[in-house]
Amino acid sequence: MKTFTTNLTAAALAVASFSALAAKPAVVYDTAGKFDKSFNEAVFRNGVEVFKKEKGVDVREFEPQNEAQREQGLRRLAGRGFSPIVAVGFNMASAVEKVAAEYPDTKFTIIDMVIDKPNVQSVVFKEHEGSFLVGALAAKVSKTNTVGFVGGMDIPLIRKFACGYEQGARYANADAKVLQNMTGSTPAAFADPAKGSELAKSQFSQGADVIYAAAGGTGLGVYQAAKDAGKYAIGVDSNQNHLQPGTMLTSMVKKVGAVAYSTWEEGMNDTWQPGIKALGLKEDSVDWAQDEYNASLITPELKAYVEGIKADIISGKIAVHDYMSDNTCNY
């Protein structure tokens, strides 16, 4: 029996080793790059680095410098046998759709967009739920009854963040005023800190004392402006509390790194499936960030309040309207 068990264990280890060797995971970041201190970096820090550490498998990375290189990078990786390939962000949609058709045996996972292909897994998030939490927190902390929102590119996805935030703020304070600005109408709107600073200063001058930025690199300008004005800011996607300690009230975290990790693990285990995954608070895929950098700002009462709202959203007691369900913020 001992010999049989030993042989079985050896066989299992051999299979696991083979899976690791056979695994060829890859990622194509968006043009903001993997060190954008936001969305892409969350995939790198919490996906690529953790996967390598825990699985002993390198993830091939590609950072496109322009829109054309998104498609080129995907095609190059697919042509060299990498799979699953994670495509980071909605801007990758047209490239994934085209390359997935050319390489039907390659598995692709795209984050923040839905593509109906038999070899594509589409992962979308319930950003409105996480944004509701930070909106409620903002309104509770505000001394002026005025909070702000600065979005990046004016698209339904970013309106979804804004609408969730507005709902949360008005849930916490029916009289709350929510100022909103979008930075622009092209992808460049996610990489304009100067414009972010300008918009934040304008909202502060109108009475806002907390601003939530869902704007990628543009948000860095918002956070700096908040620090300079002695006001609060709220980060997005990755935990950005460390960027301006004492200024960052919290961050609305999207666990995109965990999604990437899961995709590559599913590829290794042969459990990867195409289709749509919609992930929110219940799936522990969006949340609000609490750490040493904002600990002094979050009282036990505030924490209990936000956690109570979180539980009510998960249970269905609070229903948060999804802007993208009807392209309105009517709730």
Side-chain angles (χ1 to χ4, degrees):
M1 178 62 73
K2 182 178 180 181
T3 301
F4 174 77
T5 303
T6 301
N7 289 340
L8 189 61
T9 302
L13 288 171
V15 169
S17 298
F18 176 77
S19 296
L21 289 171
K24 295 191 70 174
V27 59
V28 178
Y29 300 103
D30 201 359
T31 50
K34 68 180 180 182
F35 296 119
D36 65 349
K37 296 183 172 62
S38 185
F39 194 81
N40 290 271
E41 190 159 347
V43 172
F44 173 64
R45 299 292 184 195
N46 305 321
V48 173
E49 290 193 319
V50 177
F51 192 80
K52 180 178 180 179
K53 180 180 179 181
E54 295 186 357
K55 302 295 186 182
V57 177
D58 286 327
V59 177
R60 179 63 65 89
E61 302 169 86
F62 182 80
E63 293 183 79
Q65 302 302 306
N66 53 54
E67 292 183 26
Q69 288 185 3
R70 293 174 185 149
E71 186 178 316
Q72 294 167 7
L74 287 169
R75 187 174 289 109
R76 185 181 305 164
L77 291 168
R80 294 177 180 175
F82 287 92
S83 182
I85 301 172
V86 173
V88 182
F90 66 89
N91 283 324
M92 298 289 294
S94 61
V96 170
E97 189 158 19
K98 187 171 183 178
V99 179
E102 297 172 10
Y103 292 90
D105 295 327
T106 299
K107 300 176 179 70
F108 297 86
T109 293
I110 185 167
I111 297 174
D112 273 357
M113 183 56 72
V114 174
I115 293 178
D116 185 15
K117 293 282 185 185
N119 59 328
V120 177
Q121 183 182 96
S122 303
V123 182
V124 292
F125 292 84
K126 299 176 184 178
E127 294 94 349
H128 52 299
E129 294 183 349
S131 296
F132 189 103
L133 295 184
V134 301
L137 177 63
K140 274 291 184 184
V141 169
S142 176
K143 292 180 171 60
T144 62
N145 287 340
T146 303
V147 298
F149 174 88
V150 173
M153 186 178 177
D154 190 358
I155 53 174
L157 175 61
I158 303 303
R159 292 280 176 184
K160 183 179 180 180
F161 284 83
C163 184
Y165 180 70
E166 177 185 316
Q167 289 174 77
R170 291 192 172 143
Y171 175 87
N173 177 1
D175 297 323
K177 183 177 181 181
V178 184
L179 306 176
Q180 298 184 30
N181 291 106
M182 295 293 175
T183 305
S185 57
T186 69
F190 291 110
D192 193 346
K195 184 68 172 179
S197 176
E198 176 188 326
L199 292 173
K201 289 175 182 177
S202 173
Q203 291 187 2
F204 290 140
S205 72
Q206 296 173 67
D209 54 359
V210 186
I211 296 179
Y212 174 33
T218 297
L220 300 179
V222 175
Y223 312 150
Q224 184 63 53
K227 180 183 179 182
D228 294 343
K231 310 295 185 182
Y232 291 125
I234 296 174
V236 76
D237 293 336
S238 62
N239 182 353
Q240 298 183 313
N241 293 353
H242 66 283
L243 295 179
Q244 298 289 358
T247 293
M248 305 303 293
L249 183 61
T250 186
S251 296
M252 198 293 281
V253 178
K254 284 173 64 173
K255 300 184 180 179
V256 290
V259 164
Y261 182 105
S262 177
T263 288
W264 299 319
E265 185 175 50
E266 289 168 1
M268 284 182 66
N269 298 337
D270 200 28
T271 56
W272 184 95
Q273 294 290 331
I276 301 172
K277 288 184 178 180
L279 309 175
L281 289 173
K282 185 176 182 179
E283 294 78 20
D284 191 30
S285 293
V286 298
D287 210 342
W288 67 300
Q290 306 165 72
D291 57 23
E292 67 271 29
Y293 298 106
N294 70 339
S296 64
L297 307 177
I298 306 298
T299 64
E301 292 77 17
L302 280 174
K303 180 177 179 179
Y305 178 73
V306 178
E307 287 296 314
I309 292 174
K310 179 179 172 180
D312 285 346
I313 293 174
I314 291 172
S315 71
K317 185 177 178 180
I318 295 176
V320 187
H321 177 69
D322 178 357
Y323 178 92
M324 292 181 71
S325 67
D326 60 5
N327 281 348
T328 76
C329 196
N330 298 324
Y331 55 91

